[in-house]
Amino acid sequence: MSLKAILVEDETNSREILRNYINKYCPSIDLVGEAASIKEALVLIENNIIDLVFLDVEMPFGNAFDLLDQLPDRTFETVFVTAYDHYAKDALNNHAAYYLTKPINIDELIIAVNYVEGVREKEASLEGEVLATKSKGVEGKLTLPQQDGFQILNVSEILYCKADDNYTEIYLLNKKILVSKTLKYFEDALAEFPFARVHKSFLVNVNEVVKYRRGKGGSVVMSNGKEVMVSASKKKDFLSYFN
C-alpha cells in the first residue's frame, strides 16, 4: 500500500539524504511535503492526510515533542530521526513507530517503513467494518471471589474488564460486577481465551468487539455500544487478532 508521508528536518543536507533513501529504497512511501520547522510541519499536517511523519527531534524554536504536543489526536505514525540516542525514552512515551539514529542505516529505514506499512494495512482492512461476528460462545467458566463465596460466570458473557485501582469492574451485557482483584489477575486468568489487553485500564473480549476506529492508538466499540480506547503500544497486538 502507499503511505503518504512528510519529512520534518531543519538541516537541508540531512533532509536530502533521507529523501533520496526513501525514493530509492521505500517505494511504498509517497512524500507529499517537507518542513524545516515546527510551524511548517503543522501547516503540512493540517492540509494533508498523512500516514507517516519522519520527524527530526532537535529543530530551531522547539523540538519534535513540542510539535506532537500540539497534535493530541493525531492519526499518523511517527518515525523519529535523530543523531542522539538519549531521546529514545521520550520517543517511546510518544508512541513512536520507530527510532532511527543518524547516520541512517538503510536496512533500519526499510524495517521502519515495513512496520508502519503493516500497521496501516491492518487498519485499512478493518476500518469501518464489523471486526468479528459473535462466535458460538467461548467454552469456559470464571469464578469470582466474593465475601460469601464465589460467583461463576461463563467467560463468553464478559464484554470487557476495567481496572479500578486494586479492583476490577467486570462488564456483562446488563450489569457490572466489582471484584477485589487487579486487572492483571484477570488478564492471566483469561489468557487462554480471546481477551486482549488494549489499554492499561481495559481488557476486552475480542468476540464482543464490533468496530475499530483508527487513531494514534484508535478505539474499539463493544457490542453494548461502549467505546474503549486502544493505547498505541497495544494496537499492533490487538490488530493481530483479525487476520
Side-chain angles (χ1 to χ4, degrees):
M1 70 181 301
S2 176
L3 298 174
K4 294 187 180 297
I6 64 171
L7 304 184
V8 183
E9 165 66 70
D10 65 299
E11 296 180 0
T12 302
N13 185 56
S14 295
R15 195 165 61 247
E16 182 177 348
I17 291 172
L18 182 53
R19 181 199 313 127
N20 290 339
Y21 282 173
I22 290 171
N23 288 336
K24 186 173 182 178
Y25 299 105
C26 304
S28 65
I29 298 294
D30 176 18
L31 287 175
V32 299
E34 299 178 10
S37 67
I38 291 175
K39 184 177 180 180
E40 291 177 6
L42 285 170
V43 172
L44 280 176
I45 293 168
E46 289 171 356
N47 289 282
N48 293 277
I49 298 175
I50 302 296
D51 297 300
L52 173 60
V53 174
F54 292 94
L55 184 56
D56 185 24
V57 175
E58 293 193 342
M59 290 177 288
F61 310 109
N63 61 31
F65 308 111
D66 296 321
L67 170 64
L68 296 178
D69 285 344
Q70 297 182 60
L71 301 164
D73 299 320
R74 60 188 184 274
T75 59
F76 56 81
E77 302 291 336
T78 307
V79 171
F80 283 91
V81 184
T82 178
Y84 309 96
D85 59 10
H86 59 268
Y87 289 112
K89 181 178 179 180
D90 289 331
L92 179 64
N93 290 338
N94 279 271
H95 309 300
Y98 215 87
Y99 188 90
L100 296 173
T101 54
K102 301 176 185 177
I104 294 172
N105 179 286
I106 294 172
D107 290 336
E108 285 291 306
L109 172 63
I110 293 171
I111 290 171
V113 170
N114 286 343
Y115 176 85
V116 174
E117 188 175 11
V119 171
R120 282 312 210 206
E121 284 178 344
K122 180 63 71 173
E123 288 180 335
S125 69
L126 301 177
E127 186 177 11
E129 297 181 4
V130 173
L131 297 188
T133 57
K134 285 192 176 183
S135 70
K136 295 179 181 178
V138 181
E139 294 183 0
K141 303 285 186 179
L142 184 68
T143 58
L144 306 180
Q146 296 180 332
Q147 288 185 345
D148 59 349
F150 58 86
Q151 180 175 355
I152 301 174
L153 288 180
N154 289 319
V155 171
S156 58
E157 296 177 359
I158 301 172
L159 304 185
Y160 60 92
C161 304
K162 180 182 178 183
D164 183 7
D165 292 328
N166 290 322
Y167 291 80
T168 297
E169 298 174 353
I170 297 179
Y171 286 81
L172 311 178
L173 184 59
N174 296 312
K175 66 177 179 179
K176 175 181 71 174
I177 302 172
L178 183 64
V179 183
S180 58
K181 294 287 186 181
T182 65
L183 188 61
K184 181 62 167 59
Y185 172 89
F186 287 102
E187 182 180 11
D188 293 339
L190 295 167
E192 64 181 285
F193 303 105
F195 280 75
R197 186 74 174 263
V198 297
H199 188 277
K200 66 179 182 180
S201 298
F202 287 98
L203 178 71
V204 303
N205 183 344
V206 176
N207 284 327
E208 296 293 336
V209 174
V210 297
K211 183 179 290 186
Y212 171 77
R213 290 176 175 158
R214 189 168 68 184
K216 180 173 62 175
S219 64
V220 292
V221 179
M222 306 305 297
S223 59
N224 65 347
K226 168 69 176 180
E227 185 169 6
V228 175
M229 299 305 296
V230 178
S231 66
S233 61
K234 302 290 187 182
K235 177 168 65 174
K236 186 178 181 183
D237 288 341
F238 168 73
L239 294 178
S240 69
Y241 278 89
F242 305 96
N243 296 318

